[in-house]
Amino acid sequence: MWTSSRKRLRRLEAAWQQPASHSPHFPWVARYYNQVQHEPAYHRLPDQTWEDLNGELLFELLDATVSPVGQQCLYHRLRSPLADEAALHEFDAAATLLAQQPVARGQALLALDQLTADEAYYLVDLISGEPLPILPGARFALLLALGLLATLLGGFWLPLLWLATGALALINSMFHFWQRARIQRIVRPLMQLGRLHRAGRELHRVALPLRPLEQLAAPLARLGSILRQVAFFQVEDNLAILELLKALVLLDVLVYGRCRVAVQRQAPAIRTVFEAVGYVDCALTVASFRQRYATCVPQFGPAAEGIRLQAGYHPLVPGCVPNDLTLTGPGVLLTGSNMAGKTTFMRTIGVNALLAQTIATCPATAYRAPFCRVLTSLTLADSLPTGKSYYLVEAEIMRQLLLACNADPGSYLLLLDELFKGTNTRERIAANKAVLAYLQPRSWVIAATHDGELGALLQARYVEYHFCETVTEEDWYFDYRLKAGPLTTRNAIRLLARLHYPAQVVAEAQAISATLAAREQPDFAQPTTPEALIAVAESSSEDNILG
C-alpha cells in the first residue's frame, strides 16, 4: 500500500529517535562479518571477547539501523576495531552531520527505507567475487531451446519434425520445473540488487560530504548494467505467457547463466555500493545512540600517555555508576566481593575501548588512549564435548593471550577476571603472580581477584583498587565506586548472618576464618621465567586439571 513520503519520514524519524527493541536474526546479521573476517585487518574481536563484553546485547542496544545491509555493516564494524585515526574522525563527522542536519538525515532515512526486505540479508552473497552456483545440466539448456525452435520452424517444411518439437517441449518443461525452485532460491539476492542500486543512487544524489558516497558514481553505473538482466526475474505475467516461454525455451535458465557471469565480474562494484549504503546506516545509528546516551568522542594518543577514562559507564547497566581510571605504566589489580562491581567495571573499560575504535563514541565524559586490541578472560566454562575441565580451558585461553602479547608487545588491553580459579589456592596464587608479572611489561592489564595476597606479591608492577560493600545488622548495599588501595574489609560471613544463616554456622565460620588468618604465610614458590610461565599454561596433567 502506498504511503506518502511525509508519513514515511515521520515513522522513520520516530524509530531513529527511539528505536523499538527487536530481535535481530544473528545468523543473518553476522553473514557479512563472516564473509570478510579473514581479510587483513588491525583486529577482529575473538568470539570469547565478544561474549565477555556482551556483544550481542551491545549490538541490540545500538541497533537503530533501517536496512539489513546497515545491520550487517554495524555488526562487522563492532567486531573489527580500527587503528586508523583519520577513518574514525571521518565516521565521527558523518554521525555528527546526520545528527545536526534533519533534512539530510530525512533524505538518508527515506533512501534506506527502500531496502528493508529480509532478502536483503543475502546481498552479501554477491560481494565475494565467487561465482553463483551452477545449475545441474545448465550447459544443455541452450541446445534444448535451440532444438525446440529449430524443429518448430522446420516442421513447416517437414511436419514430421513437429513430433520432435512435442518431445522437446515435454523435456524442456520437465527441466524447467526441475530447476525452478533452485533458481528462485539462488536469485533471492539478485532480486534486491535493484533496491540496493536505488538506495545508493539516492544517497549519492543527496550529495552528503561523506567519502564512501563520493566514490559511488562509477560503481552505480556498473551495477546498473546488471539490473536489466535481473529485471527479468521480477517481471510478473498474469496471462502466464512468460511462464510458458520459460518452460518451453528455458528462458530463466539461460538468463540466470548470463547473470552468473555479470555478477561475478561486477562483484567489486556491488561491494562498494553495499558498504557505502551500510556506512550511512551505521552513521545514522551512532547519531541516534549519541542522542539517547551521554557520550564523548574519543581521543587517541601515544602509548606513553596511557589510558585515561573519565566518568565511564556501561550502557547496558541501568543507572550504572560512572568511574574514572588512569592506566599508565603499572597494571591494575582489582579486589572486592562478588556483586561489588569488579567485572562490570572491567566490561566498562572494554566497551569504551571497543566503541572508541569502532564507532568513535564512548559512554563516558572523556576517553584518551592509544590504539589497542581488547582481549578478555571473564566468563569461561568447562567443555563437555571436548572433555576439558574449567582449569584446562582457562589455561589454554591464557596461553593464547601470552603468545599474542609476545608476538606484538604493547598493543593489547587485557581484562582478566579471577584467573585459575579452577585449581587450589596455593597454585592459583602462584600461577596468577607469575602470569600477571609476565604480562604487565607486554600489555595493558586490568585483573580482578579475590586473593588479597597478590597485591603484595605484585606491588612493583600493579596498582591496587577495590570495590566494597557495606553490611549492617539491618541491610547491605554497594556503592559501586572504584576506590584506591587494597580491600581491607571482609564481609562475606557477616552477609551470611544478615541472610539469617543458623547462628552455629556463622559462629563456626568466623572461628575458622580467624584460625586460617593466623596461619597464613606466603611460603609457596613462584614460577617467574617465561619457560615456567608457559609450562603453567600448557600443563594438562591430571594433578593440575583437578587442582
Side-chain angles (χ1 to χ4, degrees), residues 59-398:
F59 173 86
E60 290 182 6
L61 179 74
L62 285 165
D63 183 21
T65 54
V66 178
S67 68
V69 172
Q71 271 194 320
Q72 291 176 321
C73 288
L74 177 63
Y75 183 91
H76 170 264
R77 178 173 285 272
L78 289 176
R79 294 201 63 169
S80 305
L82 303 174
D84 185 339
E85 191 167 0
L88 290 167
H89 280 320
E90 282 184 359
F91 187 78
D92 165 51
T96 301
L97 181 148
L98 291 169
Q100 296 177 350
Q101 296 190 16
V103 174
R105 181 173 66 246
Q107 291 173 316
L109 289 169
L110 288 171
L112 293 166
D113 192 42
Q114 303 179 80
L115 195 60
T116 57
D118 285 348
E119 286 77 8
Y121 285 111
Y122 295 94
L123 279 166
V124 71
D125 295 343
L126 308 179
I127 70 174
S128 66
E130 296 294 324
L132 295 176
I134 297 177
L135 298 176
R139 63 183 181 275
F140 302 115
L142 183 60
L143 291 176
L144 291 171
L146 292 176
L148 184 141
L149 293 175
T151 56
L152 179 62
L153 294 175
F156 289 101
W157 288 271
L158 185 61
L160 189 62
L161 290 176
W162 282 336
L163 294 176
T165 301
L168 284 171
L170 179 61
I171 293 171
N172 288 5
S173 297
M174 294 175 61
F175 188 77
H176 162 74
F177 287 108
W178 179 50
Q179 298 286 14
R180 185 170 64 173
R182 186 178 290 109
I183 292 174
Q184 288 174 345
R185 184 179 67 253
I186 295 173
V187 301
R188 279 189 298 181
L190 293 177
M191 304 285 277
Q192 293 297 310
L193 272 180
R195 294 180 178 274
L196 179 67
H197 182 267
R198 286 197 297 275
R201 185 181 59 200
E202 291 187 15
L203 290 172
H204 184 59
R205 286 176 179 170
V206 173
L208 296 173
L210 307 182
R211 183 173 53 84
L213 295 182
E214 294 168 353
Q215 303 171 352
L216 274 187
L220 284 171
R222 290 195 293 272
L223 183 56
S225 66
I226 306 176
L227 298 181
R228 290 184 291 274
Q229 300 175 43
V230 174
F232 170 80
F233 297 106
Q234 297 173 304
V235 174
E236 295 183 0
D237 179 20
N238 294 329
L239 298 179
I241 297 175
L242 182 60
E243 187 63 30
L244 180 62
L245 288 174
K246 288 180 180 181
L248 294 179
V249 294
L250 304 175
L251 281 179
D252 47 358
V253 178
L254 296 174
V255 173
Y256 172 76
R258 290 178 58 84
C259 284
R260 283 189 70 249
V261 176
V263 166
Q264 186 176 10
R265 187 170 60 247
Q266 300 299 344
I270 297 172
R271 178 168 182 174
T272 299
V273 178
F274 180 98
E275 291 177 346
V277 169
Y279 185 94
V280 175
D281 212 348
C282 287
L284 282 166
T285 288
V286 172
S288 171
F289 179 69
R290 291 177 176 181
Q291 296 275 353
R292 293 178 284 129
Y293 290 87
T295 62
C296 71
V297 177
Q299 296 180 335
F300 300 98
E305 294 183 6
I307 299 174
R308 301 179 186 275
L309 178 69
Q310 182 177 337
Y313 69 96
H314 200 305
L316 288 173
V317 179
C320 185
V321 175
N323 279 291
D324 301 342
L325 180 69
T326 298
L327 182 60
T328 52
V332 168
L333 196 64
L334 294 174
T335 53
S337 61
N338 290 325
M339 302 188 299
K342 302 188 304 297
T343 306
T344 297
F345 178 70
M346 287 194 292
R347 287 193 172 107
T348 296
I349 301 294
V351 165
N352 272 272
L354 174 64
L355 297 185
Q357 293 180 218
T358 54
I359 62 172
T361 304
C362 292
T365 300
Y367 175 91
R368 182 174 177 83
F371 290 110
C372 54
R373 301 171 174 91
V374 180
L375 294 177
T376 63
S377 176
L378 301 179
T379 54
L380 301 179
D382 56 1
S383 175
L384 291 177
T386 60
K388 293 181 180 180
S389 70
Y390 181 96
Y391 178 80
L392 183 55
V393 169
E394 189 172 32
E396 291 177 345
I397 291 291
M398 287 310 303

Side-chain angles (χ1 to χ4, degrees), residues 434-511:
V435 167
L436 294 176
Y438 185 77
L439 287 173
Q440 185 271 331
R442 295 166 173 81
S443 56
W444 308 96
V445 184
I446 301 177
T449 182
H450 283 294
D451 297 314
E453 300 88 340
L454 282 173
L457 294 171
L458 293 166
Q459 61 182 347
R461 295 181 181 271
Y462 284 79
V463 177
E464 287 192 80
Y465 290 88
H466 71 275
F467 290 89
C468 63
E469 72 285 347
T470 299
V471 179
T472 67
E473 294 298 328
E474 295 78 24
D475 200 3
W476 77 93
Y477 61 89
F478 303 94
D479 62 11
Y480 305 111
R481 295 287 183 184
L482 182 68
K483 302 173 180 66
L487 181 68
T488 57
T489 60
R490 296 188 177 185
N491 290 318
I493 298 176
R494 293 181 63 195
L495 182 57
L496 298 184
R498 174 65 187 82
L499 292 173
H500 306 294
Y501 272 54
Q504 180 182 349
V505 172
V506 174
E508 184 174 355
Q510 289 173 334

Side-chain angles (χ1 to χ4, degrees), residues 16-28:
W16 176 80
Q17 292 172 1
Q18 291 294 332
S21 59
H22 56 91
S23 299
H25 308 285
F26 273 108
W28 296 356

